[in-house]
Amino acid sequence: DTGVSQNPRHKITKRGQNVTFRCDPISEHNRLYWYRQTLGQGPEFLTYFQNEAQLEKSRLLSDRFSAERPKGSFSTLEIQRTEQGDSAMYLCASSTLSGGGETQYFGPGTRLLVL
Amino acid sequence: AQKITQTQPGMFVQEKEAVTLDCTYDTSDPSYGLFWYKQPSSGEMIFLIYQGSYDQQNATEGRYSLNFQKARKSANLVISASQLGDSAMYFCAMRDSFGNEKLTFGTGTRLTIIP
């Protein structure tokens, strides 16, 4: 049984560079979410997909951020022209509807540090 | 707007004692779900327990139980017989129809179990 996986686990980059993160959800889950967590805070919603369709984007997701889920399986989150304020943990979660409701299961996250 | 409040930034508890982590929420949606997640220092968010707004009984999962008081809009997590491995950050989260499918998280409580 494999859970949600994320790569890389850690990323250090210089300001202005582009970075891309990958998330592989639990195989039968059709919903995939991205959250961002800064130090001392709870995760904040960025965007979510149902299959390959991106259904909602937070206002936190500036024009420098783009997310894709091209075949309804894995997803990528790209940040262009990174800024120091982008330093955070980026968490991916997946879910599927079940009789008891929907529970989101999270991956280990990608820690981004922008120097 | 949905809101989750966790008023205890940190708690210290003796091993084997029970501990209650507080969570209050605010929503005008009659249909919502409440979740608790554990986040160890490794960063992964681990799902602990779920309570639906229409559930008649308080949720329980092993040593975890949820003290759900709907009229007071509180959903406190109770951990019985605490263990050293319970030391972590604990987040309360809510999903309602106004927020679509995303989770709204509180700021968390850092629980430290003392041997």
Side-chain angles (χ1 to χ4, degrees):
Chain A
D1 177 29
T2 56
V4 178
S5 62
Q6 291 187 246
N7 288 289
R9 295 290 309 276
H10 302 272
K11 179 71 177 179
I12 300 174
T13 191
K14 292 182 180 179
R15 189 177 55 183
Q17 297 295 305
N18 298 346
V19 295
T20 300
F21 310 141
R22 176 177 169 129
C23 171
D24 287 89
I26 295 171
S27 60
E28 65 270 23
H29 285 187
N30 61 351
R31 288 181 172 171
L32 187 148
Y33 304 78
W34 286 99
Y35 291 83
R36 181 173 71 184
Q37 185 179 21
T38 52
L39 210 57
Q41 300 297 318
E44 295 174 292
F45 170 79
L46 292 178
T47 188
Y48 97 96
F49 294 83
Q50 180 155 314
N51 299 313
E52 64 274 12
Q54 188 173 17
L55 296 186
E56 187 176 351
K57 296 197 299 185
S58 161
R59 283 172 291 180
L60 292 175
L61 217 62
S62 75
D63 292 345
R64 296 183 298 105
F65 288 71
S66 63
E68 295 182 342
R69 195 182 183 198
K71 297 182 179 179
S73 56
F74 72 91
S75 174
T76 58
L77 178 68
E78 181 184 15
I79 310 174
Q80 296 182 327
R81 304 181 303 281
T82 52
E83 302 173 355
Q84 288 182 326
D86 296 332
S87 295
M89 171 80 94
Y90 290 84
L91 292 161
C92 175
S94 70
S95 71
T96 191
L97 284 174
S98 64
E102 178 195 349
T103 296
Q104 294 181 24
Y105 295 92
F106 284 79
T110 296
R111 289 186 189 271
L112 172 66
L113 177 61
V114 182
L115 300 176
Chain B
Q2 317 93 302
K3 187 175 180 180
I4 295 285
T5 302
Q6 294 181 255
T7 58
Q8 306 153 309
M11 288 192 68
F12 292 84
V13 172
Q14 203 75 36
E15 188 180 7
K16 299 181 184 177
E17 291 188 350
V19 55
T20 298
L21 305 181
D22 295 341
C23 172
T24 58
Y25 60 91
D26 187 22
T27 180
S28 54
D29 187 355
S31 177
Y32 52 89
L34 296 157
F35 302 78
W36 278 92
Y37 287 86
K38 172 184 178 181
Q39 188 176 41
S41 56
S42 58
E44 183 172 359
M45 299 285 284
I46 302 168
F47 167 70
L48 296 177
I49 197 166
Y50 165 81
Q51 179 84 45
S53 59
Y54 293 120
D55 292 344
Q56 294 298 312
Q57 294 187 329
N58 287 347
T60 60
E61 289 285 349
R63 293 187 299 112
Y64 304 109
S65 61
L66 204 150
N67 183 1
F68 181 47
Q69 298 187 41
K70 197 169 183 177
R72 298 180 61 183
K73 293 190 174 180
S74 74
N76 298 340
L77 177 70
V78 180
I79 306 174
S80 63
S82 57
Q83 302 170 357
L84 296 179
D86 294 334
S87 295
M89 284 291 291
Y90 288 80
F91 290 95
C92 180
M94 177 175 68
R95 183 188 70 236
D96 65 16
S97 60
F98 296 142
N100 294 317
E101 305 304 327
K102 66 178 181 285
L103 293 175
T104 299
F105 285 84
T107 52
T109 296
R110 179 170 297 280
L111 176 64
T112 303
I113 307 300
I114 305 166

